[in-house]
Amino acid sequence: MEMWEWDSIYHKSYEDIRSSIEDVRGIFVAYNSNIDAIKHIGVVDIEHLLMNVELKDVQEKVFEYPRQIESPSDLVARLIIAMRDGKAAEVPTNTTAIHDWLTDHLVFDSARMGGQAGIISNLLASMGIGKVITYVPWLSEEQAEYFVDSENLLFPVVEGGELVLKHPKQAFDPDNIPKINWILEFSKGMEVKFAEEHFVIPRDNRLIISSRPKWIRIEMSPELYERIPQLQADIDGAILAGYQMIKEEYEDGSTYMDYVEKAVNVIEKLKEGNPDIRIHVEFTSIQNKVIRKAILKQIVRQHVHSLGLDTVEVANALNVLGYEELAYSVINKGENAIVSLYEGAVKLLKELELERVHIHSLGFYICLVSKDCPVSTEDHLKALLFGSTVAAAQASHGEILSMEGTESGLDVPISVEGHNELEKLEKHLVRSGICCTEDFENGCISTPLYDALVIPTKVVSEPVATVGIGDAISATSFVGFLSKIK
Ligand code: 8BR
Ligand code: GLC
């Protein structure tokens, strides 16, 4: 399909989903809300950071690829890697010393709502979705301040044995303290000189230094857990995220298995209240492979309907599911990367027994759906185009404050690079007899085993920030999908 034809379909789909989304009664969103301290890294900042570490250490660390940040050189090494590759990453740190070191050497530009669940809750509430019931196990007074003042944004608490829904600002626990992450954003085109290396950042992206204080637990109080089925009248779906914070072992002797079980039990409770509920998990960068595998095989598989992830996360997921070669070819930037990505999506749909898997990349999305999914491929497609429009508005303005605020996404052009990339996939799928040119160009592919939606997306040339765009894409496409379940 030509670009102008896509533009016209974008407009129609946006209007269609915008009106059907009013039928969604509400959505439950958990677990991770935190405060993001955002810093755009300029040439001077990177020079300053490099001056305050041992260059030789950083060189070694770039090679070693630290999966946890324990020292300033670990941090600078991961920042160099992220900038060099233009890839997003989230790396945990268990020590407050890193936070202090960053505070000593950088001044953050702004503090915003962070965490996938926090970002998604604020976005959906601002867009006027019926009810957004948000839950974070560590709601502090300071964290509560970052939730938007919207009447449809509610937090569940148990008072006098009863389940009560209140705005987070009325529901915090004064004994809790906030979790603060550092987000180091960088822009494409910036030149970085490091030791003998000299490179130009290929893409706008960011490195997240995720604090993991000892008190972080992905769980729910037993009295709230027991009452989850009572939410049935308020919600049609749930978006769950934050499982990456589960640790292999805890000081009290419990292990990740205990928290995996708790996570599954909450999903079962949600289904107990409403057997038709749809559960979406928003994946992320998970450094620990034991946890990554457990999340996929034990929480997502069999329990979750829908999974959202970016291309690096697809490779990471394939890697722990035993598809190392495919994982490698998804990220190796070769001619066939997009074909491998598509094949990876097929594996994820099947292996994880999903109803829907939505992969977002810069310039295109691929979404695979199972044959028994009760939503038509046309409606799936509309939901994705809606998601791309909202994401474009968010990339342009940094934040969405109302449904009207999403309209500006329609003016953002469709990515030519994304459209060209899709042509490679088209050639492969047509040549292998998986679909015909016409179906591919319409974005809807039907095969005997699954249906696939493949769309070019809108890309903002100078985004205000990249953090949270993936969350916006997945959450709004998923809610669009929910609005079409009859
Ligand atoms: P994650 O946060 O899950 O990595 O997702 C980021 C997503 O944001 C990418 O997959 C891409 O689709 C989208 N994105 C980025 Br990065 N930059 C964008 C831009 N300038 N305009 C629109 N979307 C963008
Ligand atoms: C992760 C990070 C959080 C960030 C979010 C954006 O949840 O921990 O800091 O805001 O990703 O998607």
Side-chain angles (χ1 to χ4, degrees):
M1 198 172 348
E2 298 298 326
M3 293 289 226
W4 65 266
E5 289 175 278
W6 275 113
D7 265 330
S8 142
I9 295 183
Y10 257 101
H11 271 85
K12 286 188 206 132
S13 301
Y14 171 81
E15 293 303 339
D16 182 321
I17 298 288
R18 183 168 166 174
S19 96
S20 64
I21 233 168
E22 288 170 11
D23 301 335
V24 175
R25 292 179 301 169
I27 186 134
F28 178 71
V29 189
Y31 291 85
N32 58 338
S33 296
N34 62 266
I35 299 170
D36 278 347
I38 303 188
K39 171 72 187 166
H40 272 87
I41 300 288
V43 177
V44 176
D45 300 309
I46 188 75
E47 280 171 3
H48 182 66
L49 292 182
L50 285 168
M51 260 161 32
N52 283 281
V53 284
E54 285 292 334
L55 282 191
K56 214 170 128 289
D57 274 1
V58 178
Q59 278 174 302
E60 279 169 22
K61 296 281 170 85
V62 167
F63 189 67
E64 281 168 24
Y65 194 82
R67 290 187 175 273
Q68 193 160 304
I69 292 187
E70 275 157 16
S71 67
S73 51
D74 288 339
L75 187 154
V76 176
R78 286 301 303 251
L79 182 60
I80 294 282
I81 296 170
M83 287 177 153
R84 184 191 65 199
D85 300 344
K87 292 261 159 76
E90 174 165 354
V91 195
T93 181
N94 295 320
T95 135
T96 50
I98 292 298
H99 189 20
D100 296 343
W101 189 82
L102 278 165
T103 313
D104 287 345
H105 293 93
L106 294 175
V107 180
F108 62 81
D109 307 324
S110 61
R112 300 200 343 200
M113 170 62 93
Q116 297 147 291
I119 292 171
I120 290 171
S121 300
N122 273 356
L123 170 67
L124 296 181
S126 300
M127 285 171 64
I129 303 301
K131 275 186 181 151
V132 179
I133 302 176
T134 187
Y135 177 72
V136 44
W138 51 86
L139 183 64
S140 63
E141 183 169 10
E142 197 180 343
Q143 182 67 58
E145 287 299 321
Y146 285 81
F147 282 96
V148 291
D149 285 314
S150 197
E151 280 176 10
N152 55 346
L153 181 60
L154 298 161
F155 193 93
V157 282
V158 179
E159 285 177 354
E162 296 290 321
L163 179 70
V164 188
L165 298 175
K166 294 174 158 188
H167 189 274
K169 286 183 188 164
Q170 267 92 55
F172 64 84
D173 178 342
D175 294 334
N176 285 339
I177 52 170
K179 162 176 156 60
I180 302 174
N181 288 352
W182 273 82
I183 316 292
L184 306 181
E185 292 260 352
F186 43 84
S187 299
K188 115 180 129 205
M190 188 175 108
E191 286 184 45
V192 179
K193 287 190 186 125
F194 155 67
E196 282 91 57
E197 279 195 66
H198 182 188
F199 60 85
V200 176
I201 299 178
R203 266 185 188 191
D204 288 41
N205 232 318
R206 85 282 152 159
L207 173 73
I208 300 177
I209 317 296
S210 173
S211 69
R212 299 286 159 89
K214 286 199 178 95
W215 43 263
I216 290 275
R217 294 285 188 283
I218 297 297
E219 63 178 357
M220 197 172 268
S221 68
E223 65 268 28
L224 177 57
Y225 166 74
E226 285 306 327
R227 289 168 181 79
I228 285 288
Q230 293 176 25
L231 295 176
Q232 59 166 308
D234 297 312
I235 55 173
D236 292 322
I239 300 180
L240 304 174
Y243 297 127
Q244 65 272 22
M245 271 170 285
I246 295 176
K247 293 205 315 190
E248 276 189 70
E249 283 174 3
Y250 292 84
E251 281 165 353
D252 63 4
S254 54
T255 72
Y256 69 99
M257 289 306 295
D258 299 297
Y259 288 87
V260 164
E261 193 183 328
K262 286 180 195 229
V264 170
N265 288 346
V266 168
I267 296 175
E268 293 309 321
K269 281 280 173 201
L270 285 163
K271 291 181 180 168
E272 191 181 309
N274 173 3
D276 294 326
I277 194 170
R278 290 302 191 274
I279 314 277
H280 175 90
V281 162
E282 188 56 17
F283 207 57
T284 190
S285 160
I286 304 167
Q287 304 292 326
N288 182 314
K289 291 192 182 179
V290 173
I291 301 299
R292 199 194 298 158
K293 190 167 171 179
I295 294 171
L296 289 168
K297 288 198 159 188
Q298 291 168 55
I299 300 178
V300 173
R301 173 146 68 196
Q302 288 182 358
H303 303 112
V304 163
H305 304 92
S306 169
L307 182 68
L309 62 187
D310 68 21
T311 46
V312 177
E313 292 157 9
V314 171
N316 290 345
L318 291 171
N319 200 292
V320 293
L321 293 175
Y323 300 103
E324 291 87 354
E325 263 183 52
L326 190 56
Y328 179 72
S329 76
V330 167
I331 43 168
N332 80 353
K333 296 189 193 139
E335 252 317 273
N336 280 331
I338 190 163
V339 173
S340 303
L341 187 66
Y342 184 90
E343 284 168 2
V346 178
K347 298 271 186 252
L348 293 181
L349 187 78
K350 187 163 166 280
E351 287 266 318
L352 301 176
E353 299 171 37
L354 295 164
E355 185 173 69
R356 174 179 185 275
V357 55
H358 177 182
I359 297 168
H360 50 82
S361 187
L362 192 65
F364 64 88
Y365 304 158
I366 297 176
C367 179
L368 260 58
V369 290
S370 64
K371 283 303 226 191
D372 55 0
C373 183
V375 168
S376 69
T377 46
E378 291 74 18
D379 284 343
H380 275 295
L381 187 82
K382 286 179 194 163
L384 297 174
L385 297 169
F386 178 77
S388 165
T389 310
V390 177
Q394 168 146 338
S396 313
H397 306 293
E399 202 176 5
I400 303 272
L401 301 172
S402 64
M403 183 58 104
E404 289 69 42
T406 65
E407 278 165 19
S408 65
L410 286 171
D411 301 330
V412 173
I414 294 166
S415 160
V416 178
E417 287 84 359
H419 197 258
N420 293 346
E421 195 66 12
L422 291 181
E423 281 178 4
K424 294 185 201 159
L425 180 62
E426 178 177 1
K427 276 193 195 122
H428 167 80
L429 294 180
V430 173
R431 214 183 297 132
S432 356
I434 294 173
C435 70
C436 63
T437 304
E438 197 186 356
D439 288 349
F440 188 93
E441 300 223 331
N442 289 335
C444 293
I445 299 165
S446 183
T447 81
L449 299 176
Y450 59 82
D451 292 326
L453 298 310
V454 182
I455 64 154
T457 59
K458 293 168 171 284
V459 169
V460 174
S461 59
E462 285 179 13
V464 172
T466 61
V467 69
I469 305 182
D471 302 329
I473 295 168
S474 293
T476 53
S477 304
F478 176 68
V479 176
F481 152 75
L482 283 183
S483 77
K484 294 295 183 185
I485 299 181
K486 299 286 179 282

